[in-house]
Amino acid sequence: MVETVEKTADVSAVEPIHLSERPTEAPLLGRSLESLTEWVMQQGQPAYRGKQLHQWIYGKGIRSLDEVTVFSKQWRSQLKDFPIGRSQLHYRSVSPDGTIKYLLKLIDGHIIEAVGIPSDKRLTVCVSSQIGCPMGCDFCATGKGGFARNLEVHEIVDQVLTVQEDFQRRVSNIVFMGMGEPLLNTENVVAAVRSLNQDIGIGQRMITVSTVGIPGYIRRLAEQRLQITLAVSLHASNQTQRVQLIPSAEKYPLKDLLDECRDYVKITGRRVTFEYVVLADLNDQREHALELASELRGFQSHVNLIPYNPITEVDYQRPTRQRVEEFTQQLKEKGITVSVRYSRGLDKDAACGQLRASKAVSSVS
Ligand code: SAH
Ligand code: SF4
């Protein structure tokens, strides 16, 4: 269960980020080849041991330095308690469609979720960036569960290695669409993206960071010049409706959010995806499609409709397939590029917005 520290975020109070080097005492997972080489040299070892260590951490998935048989016995036993940074598998549940949900136990006992979504050509991992989420969006299970803390770099990278090892297949795509608001943890998310790219070999273009929007942070992310895809959770075609669904939007007018997204496109040359949770009879009417199309006119973007996945705390309704198709058509007629995401893993509470890590299970299944 997530320990609730605070319910909703005052986004105006968010501290500015400083992208910095990771502290030297940080666990080894998530560190670059250069940083690992520096670390072994600090231990009085030759530089080539850094490359070996990198291979054993990212290629062989070691959980203790004691497993690195190419290192001397004496050095291994000296180092055996130095943290690699792997989490413990707490629970694993397989959905009939092949989606696998993992509950991972962190060193401080908190539980987070990751989801592996296989298809013929891809293996996508939906990763968490925080324990819980402070944004409190009304339709989201994570938002209803409170917030504990940001995830560290190794805790993000570990989710991907865990799924890759379990499927015995290379992960091709990453979506930061699990628990948490990635831009409230920009520094660690950016460092994790770099590690996933350089250390595990996942193309930056295969990585999507989804955000509900934190004032100023989309521009900061753009300045990192990553080739990732930015997905912005819009969910409404006007400010009034957006505030009803997303309380934090009150301090972030839709116009300002869209301006920052335009800057993102200018700075990175990458188009933005807008996510839109379709809630029956609420934001799925023709007038909403027209309003959305007018807001996005001339914008290098793509709209991804997500039919609402029901959660128990609220009584929003999932739209029918026909309504979603009509809404799609109405957007297309106005020249908007649009796709629909029918979430997988619905029966295991592993679909978008259903992640809450509160399954009362105590063993690995
Ligand atoms: N915090 C980030 C990323 C995690 S949520 C964000 O909000 O963008 C990933 C996506 O799932 C977001 O677009 C979010 O709005 C959507 N989502 C949340 N609850 C949902 C629900 N019950 N049904 C469908 N999508 C949901
Ligand atoms: Fe947080 Fe995203 Fe859920 Fe909103 S939708 S509460 S930002 S995880």
Side-chain angles (χ1 to χ4, degrees):
M1 198 64 165
V2 172
E3 287 162 26
T4 305
V5 173
E6 55 182 277
K7 191 74 185 163
T8 50
D10 176 359
V11 291
S12 60
V14 171
E15 285 290 308
I17 52 156
H18 304 284
L19 295 171
S20 53
E21 285 300 305
R22 299 185 64 202
T24 44
E25 70 281 9
L28 300 179
L29 184 62
R31 294 203 202 186
S32 64
L33 176 59
E34 294 70 39
S35 163
L36 290 174
T37 303
E38 210 172 287
W39 184 79
V40 294
M41 287 170 73
Q42 276 164 8
Q43 310 281 322
Q45 297 289 322
Y48 72 90
R49 293 272 182 225
K51 193 162 184 197
Q52 289 177 325
L53 185 54
H54 189 269
Q55 277 164 352
W56 283 73
I57 288 174
Y58 296 102
K60 294 188 194 275
I62 51 162
R63 288 177 174 266
S64 155
L65 284 173
D66 201 25
E67 294 171 45
V68 190
T69 48
V70 289
F71 291 171
S72 76
K73 263 204 174 134
Q74 196 205 349
W75 193 40
R76 270 154 58 196
S77 71
Q78 255 173 34
L79 290 176
K80 70 179 178 354
D81 294 326
F82 194 94
I84 302 280
R86 296 300 308 263
S87 306
Q88 215 185 315
L89 180 60
H90 178 66
Y91 182 74
R92 171 184 183 277
S93 88
V94 185
S95 193
D97 66 12
T99 298
I100 304 186
K101 173 165 126 168
Y102 304 85
L103 294 188
L104 299 168
K105 194 173 195 173
L106 309 180
I107 193 91
D108 59 3
H110 281 299
I111 305 279
I112 54 159
E113 297 204 3
V115 184
I117 310 156
S119 68
D120 286 352
K121 296 207 176 105
R122 296 177 178 187
L123 174 57
T124 302
V125 187
C126 177
V127 296
S128 295
S129 56
Q130 297 186 306
I131 303 171
C133 182
M135 302 304 283
C137 302
D138 202 35
F139 48 83
C140 173
T142 309
K144 296 284 177 201
F147 169 69
R149 67 168 169 85
N150 280 340
L151 290 184
E152 299 294 334
V153 182
H154 64 276
E155 291 168 334
I156 299 173
V157 176
D158 170 77
Q159 298 172 53
V160 177
L161 280 186
T162 298
V163 176
Q164 184 156 283
E165 287 160 5
D166 189 41
F167 276 85
Q168 298 194 357
R169 181 179 160 189
R170 285 191 75 84
V171 167
S172 58
N173 296 66
I174 308 283
V175 291
F176 280 81
M177 294 186 186
M179 300 167 80
E181 169 42 54
L183 294 194
L184 287 178
N185 190 14
T186 307
E187 183 175 351
N188 290 345
V189 166
V190 167
V193 164
R194 295 220 158 92
S195 175
L196 295 170
N197 176 231
Q198 289 162 16
D199 304 316
I200 302 190
I202 300 165
Q204 285 193 9
R205 285 165 185 265
M206 306 296 139
I207 300 176
T208 299
V209 171
S210 174
T211 178
V212 74
I214 310 291
Y217 279 62
I218 290 178
R219 253 182 228 114
R220 282 168 197 227
L221 182 66
E223 282 155 13
Q224 295 301 308
R225 314 266 163 176
L226 297 170
Q227 285 298 297
I228 56 173
T229 299
L230 177 69
V232 175
S233 292
L234 215 51
H235 307 328
S237 54
N238 60 63
Q239 173 68 2
T240 311
Q241 192 163 60
R242 195 161 188 266
V243 172
Q244 281 164 9
L245 300 171
I246 304 169
S248 64
E250 199 168 349
K251 295 207 170 112
Y252 197 16
L254 185 58
K255 187 189 159 301
D256 295 356
L257 170 63
L258 292 175
D259 279 350
E260 269 202 61
C261 292
R262 283 196 187 86
D263 285 352
Y264 187 89
V265 175
K266 252 188 247 155
I267 297 171
T268 63
R270 309 272 301 151
R271 74 175 183 175
V272 173
T273 296
F274 289 108
E275 294 160 289
Y276 193 98
V277 171
V278 190
L279 302 154
D281 301 324
L282 204 104
N283 65 357
D284 65 344
Q285 304 300 300
R286 187 179 165 75
E287 71 204 63
H288 299 119
L290 297 182
E291 196 172 33
L292 182 61
S294 123
E295 286 293 348
L296 300 183
R297 191 166 300 134
F299 202 122
Q300 204 183 331
S301 66
H302 171 103
V303 171
N304 192 213
L305 302 176
I306 318 170
Y308 167 64
N309 298 315
I311 63 167
T312 50
E313 294 89 338
V314 282
D315 66 355
Y316 295 117
Q317 300 301 314
R318 187 175 169 91
T320 60
R321 245 177 211 262
Q322 192 194 343
R323 186 76 276 277
V324 175
E325 272 159 33
E326 284 162 8
F327 197 74
T328 306
Q329 217 36 53
Q330 286 156 356
L331 286 170
K332 279 188 180 161
E333 277 162 19
K334 290 288 166 193
I336 303 289
T337 318
V338 49
S339 58
V340 183
R341 187 195 313 158
Y342 283 104
S343 300
R344 296 176 55 188
L346 261 179
D347 64 315
K348 292 285 177 222
D349 280 359
C352 285
Q354 293 187 316
L355 305 189
R356 60 175 88 229
S358 63
K359 286 261 180 283
V361 282
S362 55
S363 62
V364 174
S365 80

